[in-house]
Amino acid sequence: MIREYKTITEVVSPLMVVSGVVGVTYDELAEIELPNGDVRRCRVLEVDGDTAVVQLFESAQGINLAESKVRFLGHPLELAVSGDMLGRVFSGMGSPIDGGPAIIPEERLDINGLPMNPAARDYPNEFIQTGISTIDGLNTLVRGQKLPIFSGSGLPHASLAAQIARQAKVLGGGADNFAVVFAAIGITFEESEYFVREFRRTGAIERSVIFSNLASDPAVERIATPRMALTAAEYLAFERDMHVLVILTDITNYAEALREISAAKKEVPGRRGYPGYLYTDLATMYERAGRRIGKAGSITMIPILTMPEDDKTHPIPDLTGYITEGQIILSRDLYRKGVLPPVDVLPSLSRLKDKGIGEGKTREDHSGTMNQLFAAYSSGKEAKELMTILGESALTPTDLLLAKFADEFEKQYVTQSTEENRSIEETLEIGWRLLSILPKSELKRIKPEIIEKYLPKT
Amino acid sequence: MSGKITKVSGPLVVADGLSDANISDVVRVGAQGLVGEVLTMTGDKASIQVYEETSGIGPGAEVVTTGSPLSVELGPGLLENIYDGIQRPLPEIRKISGSTIARGISVPALSREKKWEFTAKAEVGDNVSGGDILGTVQETPAVLHKIMVPPNVSGTVTELHSGEFTVADTIGYLETEDGEKVPLTLMQKWAVRVPRPYRRKFMPEKPLCSGQRIIDTCFPLAKGGTAAVPGPFGSGKTVVQHQLAKWSDVDIVVYIGCGERGNEMTDVLMEFPELTDPKTGEPLMKRTVLIANTSDMPVAAREASIYTGITIAEYYRDMGYDVAIIADSTSRWAEALREMSGRLEEMPGEEGYPAYLSSRLAQFYERAGVTECMGSDRRRGSLTAIGAVSPPGGDTSEPVSQATMRIVKVFWGLDSSLAYARHFPAINWLNSYSLYLDTLAPWYNETYGDGFMLSRSRAMSILQEEAELQEVVKLVGADSLSATDRVTLEVAKMLREDFLQQNAFDELDSYSSYEKQAALLALILSYEKYCREAVSGGLSDVQKLFGVDAREKIGRAKSVTQDKFASAYAEIDREMKLQIADAAGK
């Protein structure tokens, strides 16, 4: 039953109050029809007796209290899904914008999804080779992981994400059931077009679904965009058995849209004005990544966010880091030094790496060398700091070697061109070559028999 | 008794016509029968927190009260299971609704089909009261489940049978003083917000051995004590919690994943059945109960999950077992509290948290302790509570960390700079503390002799000295330090790298027995002793001392197996003594 009301009593964008309603339920989708025939969508945030508080997904401009009609549709916001979505471009609210025909839906899915049963999850442990040393070697990505990129304004996160999307593959696995779901959340046309061109150039566009909410599109629509993308990804992964890589950019814009609505609702703000439920809200998106027991497909997620003022403790990166399984942090210092991609390996982390590496997955020496590289780079950086204050002469012989190691590590290991696709063996070999700079007694994190087998003999 | 909904705002629902409902009653909301709990009453209007997603619920929908508070089912079948925040078994839910959790599913927490072999211990004619043991069920090979008389019941056993029963079957009868006949079952129910009774509490006097060197040696936790693990993301909170759940020498572990990652629970579910408990030789899962309210699951049930967990833990404590409850993370629980408080339009305290945050936290931790259990045999049990705290930005000046630190006795502060250098566990040895050292000292002295505590204090003071010396080094370089100070720095480095660092993912290093910890520490300190002797004997080129071969062997001493360490360490000590004497030119 569709009920139509002409009883809008208040509009304070993006909220609207409709009175005298009957049978309206929480989270229901509604449409407003303007006198000029425009139709805009909105959803119910609160019902109190016969009054409904409704949140608009688009601008409130032109809404007339007396003449506009509100229709409650009796179901939450849904996305029509089908296998034909591949290769198509949609708006942030899920309507096709590439001039192609509408999708003939196989199913209509609630974009909020349902929580995944922890007892039905399959632990992600399949190594994905991205061809990027700092990720494969040190912060290994596995299928079904959610690994965000923490970036700053002006840093090359887009090219890093595009390189991952282009090169990612599972060793020995077929590549034919691979798909990319890309959600542009409030980013500029240029940034979004960069990704679309990249996908086109490499042919990945045929296997991509793109949801696009650009900076010029309504901010409140951004609340729906990532969920649209994830609903499409869930359908492809768990109904169509595909391995889906989801790229969401930029989460910071999403959180700001959420803050805008929260402020309009006059909620008690948490840190920096963001709502207290930001953690839960972000979690309901990020947690949709993963694998399920008995399903062939998977969702691997790379959300990108720009840290305001490069501050990792800002609520958006902070809460994201508490939910995601690690983070890749880009550093402005490295970028200035010309180290590209500027991955700051020490604070970067992949929580799932330990189950995805080692014998049978990558190589037996992976875990030990990884820890050793981290430890040596960390001590090397400390030694370099000391050197700037006290000069080279104050350093012990070992410290000097460590400092040299740190420099070479940035030059040879971190630095790599956007077209360079290193195999995991190449990455490990570079690692060993660098470790051979150091005296053997410093290699405490690696088992003696592994050192014996792999350390280049000079 | 049923009412009608008047307002829905996220997980908060207001309904009128509920004058008969009690505060804290469980209610069923809407046609799907979503589970909720009454928070406040005004006239016949009740504010209800709903433990499931409320989308599709609107005014006019029916609310039915069950007349009883939120309770858990306690009996055989809890172990090895994984529950959601309100004790619904997740594997059963999976059978019904597949990979995702649909709403309004109602499944009993304990299987009504599974039969348990019950062996009666009490006899007909026995006078029993709450806590007395009626008999036992071998719940898992590792745990003997004691079937107890429910806390508030007493009387004479008139009938009791051994045999195979389900948890709902009547195993016998008890006649109370008033002549009332009470049926006995393997299962009892208990309201989660009410602590289970005990006779009295004692001071904790025995350490909880976790096999983690920095914990057991430096900042020990007592059985029956409380501890907090605060740390920013990526500092290894979850690994520390998992290590404690794996290796603690307790009988039962209740692990609560409260608002954390789904994959972490999956990890436990997959890994624990594979790992062997060093104490019983059985898989670790056989002693573990899991509660999962992952971050994508409804927020209201997050608040309940902590209470569900601790009530189950208390039940096993009442059997006389040592129980540990591990909650990851209490910050998410506090945030759930804040979200409901905001929706109830309560006046916020600090950072939007309700004013009752610290009292609720204190109530939770206070349910831990060493207790003399109910029951005439005066058995003792203990309940140790360990909570992770996730302070925003790693800044522990926020309300949840502060309120927790006021209560707990052990503080393992995780440090992101240590984590970046891959020093794990990243517990900062300078700002962490344990207030149990004094009460535990007699136990250590009795068990391992006086040497252990002396070694510990020596090691801690070296680390403290190192921190001070590092300040000097930063200004003038290590070269300008005296030989004595350079030995201190070197020994501190060894303590950090060769003792405190412990690889949770390394088979041999993941668990370290107390004896091995003590021996390893003694070995490092004995290196210190030889070096100091050489230095006071006039040696000035300390680099020679640091280069001895045995030094590298100490670096690998952690991975010596449990059966060989004693002889191996003695051998290293011998070599070291000779080599250092040699280096000193004697």
Side-chain angles (χ1 to χ4, degrees):
Chain A
M1 181 193 68
I2 291 171
R3 298 136 285 152
E4 208 170 76
Y5 298 93
K6 282 175 96 175
T7 47
I8 305 176
T9 51
E10 193 183 326
V11 179
V12 184
S13 181
L15 301 186
M16 195 168 75
V17 178
V18 190
S19 59
V21 298
V22 177
V24 171
T25 62
Y26 174 71
D27 208 27
E28 188 174 343
L29 185 67
E31 286 177 347
I32 316 156
E33 195 181 321
L34 268 52
N36 65 5
D38 263 13
V39 176
R40 291 178 196 165
R41 284 191 278 184
C42 52
R43 67 171 178 150
V44 177
L45 285 187
E46 188 179 305
V47 260
D48 191 354
D50 64 352
T51 315
V53 179
V54 175
Q55 172 223 316
L56 290 156
F57 280 116
E58 287 154 76
S59 96
Q61 201 177 17
I63 293 180
N64 173 309
L65 297 195
E67 297 298 322
S68 305
K69 287 182 270 190
V70 180
R71 263 194 305 276
F72 291 92
L73 303 178
H75 61 79
L77 188 52
E78 289 172 340
L79 177 71
V81 290
S82 112
D84 298 334
M85 298 179 89
L86 289 169
R88 301 290 306 272
V89 182
F90 300 86
S91 74
M93 291 294 285
S95 353
I97 50 168
D98 54 1
I103 294 291
I104 301 164
E106 275 164 36
E107 270 179 88
R108 285 180 180 280
L109 301 175
D110 179 353
I111 64 156
N112 289 312
L114 283 168
M116 218 191 283
N117 189 332
R121 275 184 191 265
D122 204 356
Y123 198 77
N125 55 9
E126 273 177 287
F127 169 68
I128 298 183
Q129 180 178 299
T130 64
I132 299 165
S133 292
T134 42
I135 297 179
D136 292 351
L138 302 176
N139 299 292
T140 317
L141 179 68
V142 295
R143 242 179 203 172
Q145 185 173 13
K146 38 193 181 292
L147 189 65
I149 299 177
F150 286 10
S151 181
S153 32
L155 293 180
H157 47 260
S159 70
L160 181 63
Q163 189 174 2
I164 296 173
R166 192 172 60 234
Q167 298 178 348
K169 65 165 186 187
V170 172
L171 296 180
D176 42 335
N177 57 351
F178 181 73
V180 176
V181 172
F182 175 74
I185 310 164
I187 57 173
T188 60
F189 166 78
E190 284 161 40
E191 204 171 348
S192 159
E193 190 62 15
Y194 171 81
F195 279 100
V196 174
R197 272 204 195 160
E198 274 293 312
F199 295 155
R200 203 165 277 145
R201 185 170 71 88
T202 56
I205 192 91
E206 304 296 318
R207 293 176 285 121
S208 307
V209 187
I210 297 171
F211 290 86
S212 173
N213 167 287
L214 298 184
S216 54
D217 293 325
V220 271
E221 190 182 297
R222 278 164 214 162
I223 299 295
T225 309
R227 296 196 161 79
M228 292 277 171
L230 287 164
T231 307
E234 276 176 348
Y235 172 76
L236 294 173
F238 304 124
E239 303 295 325
R240 297 241 154 192
D241 295 340
M242 302 183 91
H243 292 290
V244 186
L245 177 70
V246 181
I247 299 177
L248 306 172
T249 175
D250 180 320
I251 296 294
T252 307
N253 295 334
Y254 169 83
E256 275 170 5
L258 200 67
R259 175 165 70 175
E260 188 178 329
I261 294 167
S262 167
K265 282 159 76 182
K266 301 194 172 65
E267 289 170 336
V268 179
R271 281 209 303 155
R272 303 240 182 154
Y274 292 96
Y277 50 80
L278 182 61
Y279 176 85
T280 311
D281 191 274
L282 289 174
T284 54
M285 299 196 311
Y286 296 146
E287 280 289 318
R288 289 169 80 170
R291 296 169 61 204
R292 298 177 182 177
I293 295 173
K295 303 270 182 185
S298 66
I299 299 180
T300 309
M301 194 192 292
I302 303 191
I304 300 174
L305 57 89
T306 45
M307 299 181 279
E309 293 174 64
D310 295 350
D311 176 10
K312 192 160 62 78
T313 66
H314 183 281
I316 301 169
D318 189 49
L319 296 179
T320 298
Y322 275 122
I323 308 161
T324 53
E325 282 135 355
Q327 67 277 336
I328 302 290
I329 298 189
L330 301 189
S331 143
R332 203 170 290 279
D333 282 346
L334 287 178
Y335 182 61
R336 286 203 194 105
K337 271 202 242 171
V339 176
L340 289 175
V343 176
D344 196 353
V345 297
L346 294 182
S348 296
L349 171 73
S350 163
R351 291 166 188 273
L352 304 182
K353 60 178 187 302
D354 298 289
K355 302 273 160 76
I357 62 174
E359 212 171 347
K361 309 238 164 150
T362 54
R363 219 168 68 180
E364 54 174 341
D365 56 329
H366 194 157
S367 167
T369 45
M370 176 180 73
N371 288 326
Q372 191 63 63
L373 285 169
F374 271 124
Y377 182 50
S378 166
S379 327
K381 277 185 85 168
E382 268 171 38
K384 278 179 68 183
E385 262 173 47
L386 212 59
M387 198 154 78
T388 12
I389 307 171
L390 301 167
E392 225 170 273
S393 57
L395 264 59
T396 61
T398 315
D399 280 350
L400 278 174
L401 287 174
L402 282 167
K404 180 175 169 218
F405 168 86
D407 281 332
E408 291 302 316
F409 177 79
E410 285 172 9
K411 266 186 224 143
Q412 299 185 30
Y413 198 94
V414 183
T415 305
Q416 106 181 65
S417 91
T418 51
E419 295 301 322
E420 190 180 353
N421 190 353
R422 290 183 191 157
S423 73
I424 181 67
E425 283 80 17
E426 285 173 66
T427 294
L428 290 170
E429 287 320 314
I430 300 174
W432 278 111
R433 211 164 61 221
L434 291 167
L435 289 176
S436 67
I437 296 176
L438 302 172
K440 233 196 224 175
S441 59
E442 278 298 302
L443 308 183
K444 277 191 203 167
R445 310 284 182 109
I446 314 176
K447 294 203 168 99
E449 59 271 22
I450 300 275
I451 297 184
E452 211 45 54
K453 190 166 166 192
Y454 291 98
L455 188 71
K457 312 267 186 303
T458 41
Chain B
M1 197 52 215
S2 79
K4 291 260 181 286
I5 293 181
T6 61
K7 176 183 172 177
V8 185
S9 167
L12 179 77
V13 165
V14 180
D16 60 12
L18 281 172
S19 51
D20 276 9
N22 310 309
I23 297 280
S24 303
D25 269 6
V26 170
V27 295
R28 293 277 178 173
V29 177
Q32 288 161 303
L34 309 183
V35 181
E37 186 180 2
V38 177
L39 290 182
T40 60
M41 300 279 301
T42 319
D44 68 345
K45 257 187 200 286
S47 296
I48 296 156
Q49 77 171 341
V50 181
Y51 292 129
E52 296 173 79
E53 180 59 44
T54 51
S55 95
I57 303 284
E62 198 181 38
V63 176
V64 186
T65 165
T66 59
S68 58
L70 187 64
S71 306
V72 286
E73 292 183 356
L74 303 167
L78 289 167
L79 293 172
E80 293 184 86
N81 218 329
I82 172 166
Y83 293 105
D84 77 351
I86 48 174
Q87 215 205 5
R88 292 182 302 184
L90 289 169
E92 295 302 314
I93 291 184
R94 188 176 155 219
K95 283 182 200 154
I96 298 169
S97 78
S99 326
T100 53
I101 302 173
R103 297 186 295 161
I105 293 182
S106 176
V107 198
L110 297 176
S111 164
R112 295 294 189 268
E113 271 110 57
K114 184 164 167 109
K115 293 210 168 198
W116 299 95
E117 180 71 40
F118 171 72
T119 316
K121 290 274 149 67
E123 281 168 19
V124 172
D126 281 0
N127 263 321
V128 293
S129 60
D132 281 340
I133 292 166
L134 292 169
T136 57
V137 166
Q138 194 70 44
E139 187 176 358
T140 68
V143 177
L144 186 70
H145 193 112
K146 297 171 188 166
I147 305 298
M148 297 170 288
V149 178
N152 305 321
V153 180
S154 61
T156 313
V157 178
T158 56
E159 212 182 299
L160 192 65
H161 307 283
S162 295
E164 291 212 324
F165 299 101
T166 70
V167 290
D169 290 342
T170 306
I171 54 170
Y173 289 92
L174 192 143
E175 199 177 289
T176 64
E177 270 181 28
D178 316 338
E180 195 192 338
K181 210 175 168 194
V182 182
L184 298 167
T185 56
L186 296 182
M187 174 183 80
Q188 46 180 288
K189 283 193 172 193
W190 192 260
V192 297
R193 294 184 199 281
V194 184
R196 283 177 64 89
Y198 52 84
R199 270 178 206 272
R200 61 190 180 115
K201 266 195 185 178
F202 301 97
M203 289 294 279
E205 279 163 351
K206 276 187 196 156
L208 175 125
C209 173
S210 67
Q212 309 305 301
R213 288 187 290 267
I214 185 154
I215 292 178
D216 291 351
T217 299
C218 303
F219 309 107
L221 171 61
K223 276 186 187 140
T226 51
V229 196
F233 66 83
S235 56
K237 274 192 303 298
T238 302
V239 177
V240 170
Q241 301 259 60
H242 280 196
Q243 288 296 92
L244 286 165
K246 281 177 197 167
W247 308 124
S248 292
D249 64 337
V250 292
D251 303 302
I252 308 286
V253 170
V254 179
Y255 190 94
I256 310 173
C258 176
E260 289 290 310
R261 304 174 186 89
N263 277 329
E264 284 172 2
M265 296 315 289
T266 314
D267 188 17
V268 175
L269 273 178
M270 300 208 161
E271 201 180 358
F272 278 31
E274 306 289 320
L275 293 168
T276 314
D277 182 355
K279 208 169 121 183
T280 60
E282 291 293 329
L284 282 172
M285 201 62 199
K286 304 273 175 209
R287 62 161 201 187
T288 311
V289 186
L290 298 173
I291 314 278
N293 178 281
T294 56
S295 54
D296 55 340
M297 284 157 80
V299 67
R302 197 161 304 161
E303 194 265 338
S305 66
I306 291 273
Y307 296 104
T308 301
I310 200 149
T311 310
I312 292 173
E314 282 176 336
Y315 173 65
Y316 281 100
R317 174 207 66 192
D318 288 348
M319 295 177 202
Y321 287 126
D322 291 323
V323 185
I325 181 167
I326 295 170
D328 186 13
S329 143
T330 54
S331 293
R332 306 298 163 224
W333 170 82
E335 281 165 12
L337 213 60
R338 171 168 74 181
E339 188 170 338
M340 287 318 292
S341 162
R343 298 210 189 248
L344 286 167
E345 293 169 4
E346 291 170 341
M347 182 70 80
E350 246 179 302
E351 288 192 21
Y353 287 104
Y356 46 80
L357 170 71
S358 64
S359 60
R360 291 275 171 93
L361 265 173
Q363 277 164 10
F364 166 73
Y365 282 109
E366 194 52 25
R367 286 171 78 166
V370 182
T371 49
E372 186 177 300
C373 309
M374 301 287 284
S376 45
D377 62 352
R378 300 189 169 251
R379 59 187 179 271
R380 281 192 191 190
S382 77
L383 173 50
T384 314
I386 302 156
V389 184
S390 319
D395 173 12
T396 50
S397 66
E398 53 93 40
V400 183
S401 306
Q402 285 301 313
T404 306
M405 281 156 74
R406 284 214 307 273
I407 310 157
V408 298
K409 295 280 195 299
V410 178
F411 178 86
W412 297 312
L414 295 174
D415 195 323
S416 52
S417 59
L418 290 175
Y420 296 165
R422 292 336 187 235
H423 174 112
F424 287 115
I427 297 175
N428 185 318
W429 50 89
L430 296 175
N431 68 9
S432 300
Y433 59 80
S434 165
L435 301 181
Y436 291 116
L437 278 172
D438 289 341
T439 45
L440 292 179
W443 186 89
Y444 281 116
N445 293 341
E446 207 166 290
T447 320
Y448 298 113
D450 298 347
F452 185 78
M453 284 314 251
L454 288 175
S455 296
R456 182 204 171 269
S457 353
R458 179 70 200 135
M460 295 313 289
S461 69
I462 292 175
L463 289 167
Q464 181 63 44
E465 265 177 68
E466 183 203 24
E468 287 158 20
L469 287 173
Q470 286 293 358
E471 297 293 311
V472 182
V473 172
K474 272 187 197 140
L475 293 175
V476 294
D479 272 350
S480 48
L481 291 180
S482 67
T484 328
D485 285 345
R486 293 194 59 187
V487 170
T488 307
L489 281 184
E490 188 67 12
V491 175
K493 188 176 169 214
M494 288 169 74
L495 285 173
R496 284 189 282 113
E497 293 180 356
D498 305 336
F499 185 75
L500 297 181
Q501 270 183 25
Q502 190 167 359
N503 188 346
F505 300 101
D506 185 283
E507 222 177 298
L508 289 173
D509 201 23
S510 186
Y511 173 85
S512 183
S513 70
Y514 247 119
E515 291 80 7
K516 192 172 152 188
Q517 296 184 27
L520 182 57
L521 187 59
L523 185 63
I524 296 173
L525 292 177
S526 136
Y527 173 82
E528 189 211 0
K529 198 179 94 198
Y530 299 144
C531 286
R532 297 241 184 261
E533 277 164 13
V535 168
S536 59
L539 181 87
S540 57
D541 182 8
V542 286
Q543 213 61 19
K544 269 192 192 164
L545 298 175
F546 304 159
V548 298
D549 289 347
R551 168 87 176 65
E552 202 186 321
K553 285 199 180 155
I554 298 180
R556 305 197 185 278
K558 311 184 225 205
S559 24
V560 178
T561 52
Q562 173 69 22
D563 52 330
K564 293 212 187 89
F565 79 85
S567 58
Y569 290 4
E571 175 64 25
I572 297 176
D573 195 284
R574 243 191 326 275
E575 284 175 27
M576 183 164 74
K577 193 169 181 183
L578 289 174
Q579 289 166 359
I580 289 179
D582 202 30
K586 279 179 193 167

